[in-house]
Amino acid sequence: MASNILTSIFGSRNDRLLKTYRKTIERINALEPQYELLTDDELRGKTAEFKGRVGAGETLDAILPEAFALVREGSKRSMKMRHFDVQMLGGMSLHHGKISEMGTGEGKTLTSTLPVFLNALTGKGVHVVTVNDYLASRDARWMGRLYSFLGMTVGINLPSVSREEKQAAYQADITYGTNNEYGFDYLRDNMVYEVADRVQRGLNFAIIDEVDSILIDEARTPLIISGQAEDNTEMYLAMNKVVPTLTLQEGEADPRTGEGVTKPGDFTLDEKTQQVFLTEQGHENAEGILYKLGLIPEGATLYDPSNISLVHHLYAALRANHLYHRDQHYVVQDGEIVIVDEFTGRLMSGRRWSDGLHQAVEAKEGVAIQAENQTLASITFQNYFRLYAKLSGMTGTADTEAYEFAEIYGLETTVIPPNRKSQRGDQLDRVYKTTKEKYDAAITDIRECYERGQPVLVGTTSIENSEIIDELLIKANLPHQVLNAKQHAREADIIAQAGRSGMITIATNMAGRGTDIVLGGNLEKLTEPVTSDESLDEAVKAAEVVKLKEQWSAEHEKVKALGGLRIIATERHESRRIDNQLRGRSGRQGDPGSSRFYLSLDDPLMRIFAGDRVKSIMDRLKMPEGEAIEAGIVTRSIESAQRKVEARNFDTRKQLLEYDDVANDQRKVIYQQRNDIMDASSLREQISSLREGCFIDLTRQYVPFESVEEQWDIAGLERVLRDEWQIVLELADEIEGSSVITDEDILEKVDKAANAAFDAKVAAIGEENFLQFERIVLLQSIDTHWREHLSSLDYLRKGIHLRGYAQKQPKQEYKREAFELFGQLLDSVKNDVTKILMTVKVQSADELGQAAAAMENRAENMFNVSYSAPNEDGDAQIQDEDDPRQKPLPVGTPTVGRNEACPCGSGKKFKQCHGKLN
């Protein structure tokens, strides 16, 4: 209550921020008449002037009013668009490292040009992050007109471009690209062996478009660069045959009484956590089937140590067949399984599920099974974007996730008021008993809108549902367009005309994010065929464009009069934010609009979280078939269920981050070491430190610390130095000839001998020549052991929750063991690098030439040799000149195995003919 009283007096934190920003807007607006008088060249000159002032030490905050005024004037001249005052508010929020929540159609893309230009004045680069390649290319070209007009350079970072083009894109003042590509470039830059192969420069400032989609929806999936591991194709195919023989158990057994199972089965499903669990009966049945298939011996169990991998494959196959559905979680395209993003409905080409799930789905769908992968490098979006010195983002729906943005990223959310107040009416949800009733009601609503000419956007949560509605509309003879991941390429064209009178558009959650649905259709798309037609005269073009604008204006007013865009959703998403995005497609810039959700008790969200409560209400009211509940209490109940799912998803993401933070700290150390190695002009100190540590560890195994002579194993130390390290050291003789010698003296002698042996190798070919070899050895060793370390961390994390049964805190145990594993990694790198550098054989060019010639002579002599053997009497055999076995093999005869047919044509094995030993 006290908080409410203070807020009513002083205003909320959001109100106070906006009040401060509005004072700055007054200063920006006061500069507008002055900037309008400048010529185009004078405007460009201002950019150079601002860069000079920033270089001289002036802060960006001090330059902000002038820079924003310059961008506004540049936009008016280059794009015929003037920034609204609310866009200035959004721009200031972004510059100060906050998230700007701006409604659909408020011009977020144009708003971003203000902070982008201001921060690009530092010369350190600005990254604009979008959700797909289309938006990156579109925005770079669209806003690039403004930046080029003001003298800034723009680059586009796409997956398809070459390394040189990427480097050029990152060197530009402003770089547009997708979140995936920025993350992968960071990982790839930390896998290269030459400084010249890096593409990124420092991570200075990033503005993330659709920030909720990238930092929240995609945060559960880390970016992974992987290489092929072992091939288990046959195992996945075998397990796919096992799954149909296992049955689903209905009902769940009470752990105390064992009651509650309505139909016994072999496994249970947990749809909330997307997990499968074998029952006791299922274990027995699975073992019997695996025995028949010859995968386990008779009497063996699934949990024998040798069969653990079978359990992994069986669970992957069960999940693939019962929890992952075609055209909902994935599509089959060109003989490949392509994942569908559950939040945006977009195809995630190149992404693969881990833990063998992707291979199990490939086996289920009968497409080619690709080999399992080994992780080479990995990072979560949370940790990648926290690497930027400054981060900000913009979206139409951030306020419901404001706590998570603040907790994980330290980003405050600012709600920017609309330029014109929304006129959209959001009607209460209608809940039906069955899916059929729900779809019938939705189709009736769509037909009514179509008959009066009102445009409709039908929202679905999956491709599967969008295709069901597609079929229903075809049966109802209603013309429509379908926008889902399968029509990804046509997205902009479909969305551009979704606001025309009588249009019906079916869309998954992708629903044209980043593209506006304009009532009456997109004017630019309408006039484009005329403006791009080179055969027409300019005067004719102008007249045609005027005519088209008049037609569009009439259409625009007609659609507004009909009630604007109607949103009809056939299912609630598990996140309120996604539902708000769908609603937000309607009512842009003060336009009228309306929305309604049609639900049924069979919908996944209702069934799992809110079905029982709503069903009991329906039963009490004795609802007849076809009737729906439409009440605030039901809508609130559904939103309560969504909040529960959001909270669970937040916990999942937070837990993922807490575990990844451990790996992230280690990743920073490894990547910093790699960069130091590549940038160093000399590695002598690092190599010397590694060598010293390695020989201290080695010596202490045979001569313990502060030990007496009787405890020393000098013979063993001499032997290991000679056999494994190629260092000949007569320690026993030196000890015999010394009156007093300590363990420290032994250590010093070994270290001195190792240094001398190493220096001799370096001296033989020169330090400059040896440097590159040292660098490659170090980098390869770090990369190899880092890959193995990532696999170890992955295995550790999967089983660490079991420590809870021992009354231990799993996260603390994970941190402790991960630290120990990292120590082992560093020791392995130290030993490997030292071993290679100490035992490498250095040869001069002359010695290499002599060795190559000797090898050639040996090969030639091998084929020119003739073998003779004593006969049964012990005398030497007489060679028959006509016998092919007595003739030497000609030069160039291919080498064969000793058990293969002899190349001389005798018909005998080589070992019994020309290969017979004398």
Side-chain angles (χ1 to χ4, degrees), residues 27 182 221 267 279 313 482 502 698 819 855:
R27 293 169 60 195
Y182 285 121
T221 310
F267 63 92
T279 61
H313 285 97
V482 181
L698 176 71
F819 182 74
M855 286 176 70

Side-chain angles (χ1 to χ4, degrees), residues 498-654:
R500 296 182 70 179
S501 176
M503 285 296 290
I504 301 171
T505 309
I506 304 170
T508 47
N509 294 327
M510 65 201 301
R513 283 191 87 159
T515 52
D516 281 339
I517 298 177
V518 183
L519 299 186
N522 186 301
L523 180 59
E524 194 176 328
K525 290 276 181 186
L526 200 65
T527 58
E528 191 178 348
V530 176
T531 55
S532 60
D533 190 345
E534 295 180 4
S535 63
L536 294 176
D537 183 72
E538 288 300 321
V540 175
K541 278 186 187 179
E544 281 293 317
V545 167
V546 169
K547 193 188 296 182
L548 288 170
K549 282 183 178 177
E550 287 172 357
Q551 289 174 11
W552 174 85
S553 184
E555 175 91 352
H556 180 70
E557 293 303 319
K558 175 188 171 185
V559 174
K560 280 177 71 174
L562 290 167
L565 180 67
R566 170 78 164 165
I567 303 292
I568 295 176
T570 58
E571 208 173 327
R572 280 271 194 173
H573 195 275
E574 62 181 36
S575 168
R576 289 169 298 159
R577 183 170 42 82
I578 306 293
D579 292 341
N580 292 340
Q581 284 166 9
L582 181 62
R583 283 197 178 112
R585 301 290 109 200
S586 175
R588 64 181 291 282
Q589 287 293 321
D591 286 339
S594 60
S595 71
R596 164 101 69 191
F597 281 79
Y598 289 89
L599 313 173
S600 81
L601 297 182
D602 298 330
D603 294 347
L605 186 78
M606 296 290 291
R607 189 181 73 248
I608 298 169
F609 292 99
D612 293 341
R613 188 176 176 190
V614 178
K615 190 175 182 183
S616 65
I617 294 171
M618 283 184 156
D619 291 341
R620 279 202 300 272
L621 295 174
K622 295 185 172 61
M623 303 276 297
E625 189 177 329
E627 285 291 313
I629 284 187
E630 185 181 329
I633 187 172
V634 175
T635 302
R636 286 193 296 275
S637 175
I638 294 162
E639 287 180 353
S640 172
Q642 287 176 308
R643 268 192 284 270
K644 288 176 190 171
V645 182
E646 286 167 7
R648 193 196 74 216
N649 288 342
F650 170 55
D651 287 340
T652 303
R653 289 188 290 267
K654 192 175 180 185

Side-chain angles (χ1 to χ4, degrees), residues 39-56:
T39 65
D40 290 356
D41 288 337
E42 286 172 332
L43 282 179
R44 274 187 284 277
K46 282 284 181 186
T47 301
E49 178 197 322
F50 293 158
K51 282 184 175 180
R53 285 163 60 184
V54 171

Side-chain angles (χ1 to χ4, degrees), residues 78-207:
S78 63
M79 299 197 296
K80 306 293 183 283
M81 296 166 80
R82 181 184 180 275
H83 294 77
F84 301 131
D85 283 359
V86 291
Q87 288 174 314
M88 292 284 175
L89 290 175
M92 278 182 261
S93 167
L94 291 170
H95 166 66
H96 289 115
K98 301 183 192 305
I99 289 173
S100 296
E101 180 181 292
M102 301 176 71
T104 302
E106 292 296 313
K108 291 187 284 292
T109 308
L110 187 63
T111 299
S112 67
T113 58
L114 298 160
V116 164
F117 174 83
L118 176 61
N119 285 269
L121 295 172
T122 61
K124 295 177 182 176
V126 174
H127 294 174
V128 183
V129 187
T130 65
V131 291
N132 62 37
D133 295 335
Y134 164 73
L135 290 176
S137 303
R138 186 204 70 174
D139 293 355
R141 284 195 300 270
W142 189 14
M143 298 299 126
R145 288 183 286 172
L146 168 58
Y147 299 130
S148 300
F149 178 79
L150 294 174
M152 288 282 187
T153 56
V154 181
I156 310 176
N157 177 31
L158 299 174
S160 54
V161 302
S162 66
R163 188 180 71 236
E164 290 73 18
E165 289 172 300
K166 273 184 179 290
Q167 287 171 332
Y170 279 112
Q171 287 302 317
D173 294 314
I174 300 147
T175 309
Y176 280 82
T178 64
N179 50 318
N180 290 347
E181 205 54 27
Y182 285 121
F184 283 135
D185 284 340
Y186 170 74
L187 293 176
R188 283 191 288 259
D189 275 1
N190 286 288
M191 293 170 71
V192 299
Y193 284 77
E194 297 286 345
V195 174
D197 290 340
R198 291 183 193 148
V199 295
Q200 285 188 341
R201 49 180 174 155
L203 303 178
N204 172 44
F205 175 48
I207 292 183

Side-chain angles (χ1 to χ4, degrees), residues 129-131 179 208-216 218-219 385:
V129 187
T130 65
V131 291
N179 50 318
I208 305 175
D209 193 9
E210 307 298 358
V211 66
D212 56 324
S213 175
I214 291 169
L215 294 190
I216 290 181
E218 296 198 29
F385 283 111

Side-chain angles (χ1 to χ4, degrees), residues 671-725:
Y671 286 177
Q672 186 59 51
Q673 281 193 354
R674 282 188 105 266
N675 290 331
D676 290 346
I677 289 164
M678 285 201 294
D679 294 334
S681 56
S682 170
L683 296 170
R684 182 167 271 275
E685 277 187 32
Q686 283 150 298
I687 298 295
S688 179
S689 173
L690 293 176
R691 187 171 59 252
E692 185 180 342
C694 183
F695 279 101
I696 287 173
D697 293 345
L698 176 71
T699 307
R700 287 304 180 196
Q701 290 176 31
Y702 298 91
V703 183
F705 180 64
E706 292 187 346
S707 57
V708 293
E709 195 173 325
E710 286 75 12
Q711 296 172 284
W712 299 350
D713 180 6
I714 297 300
L717 179 57
E718 285 181 343
R719 186 172 56 252
V720 77
L721 287 171
R722 182 180 63 251
D723 295 347
E724 294 184 21
W725 299 90

Side-chain angles (χ1 to χ4, degrees), residues 10-68:
F10 299 107
S12 66
R13 161 76 176 163
N14 198 74
D15 295 336
R16 295 196 299 276
L17 272 175
L18 295 179
K19 190 176 180 181
T20 307
Y21 292 162
R22 284 193 174 98
K23 290 177 183 174
T24 308
I25 289 176
E26 290 172 10
R27 293 169 60 195
I28 296 166
N29 291 340
L31 291 168
E32 191 167 10
Q34 178 186 328
Y35 278 74
E36 284 175 334
L37 299 173
L38 299 176
T39 65
D40 290 356
D41 288 337
E42 286 172 332
L43 282 179
R44 274 187 284 277
K46 282 284 181 186
T47 301
E49 178 197 322
F50 293 158
K51 282 184 175 180
R53 285 163 60 184
V54 171
E58 195 167 346
T59 65
L60 293 178
D61 288 347
I63 293 175
L64 186 147
E66 296 170 80
F68 277 27

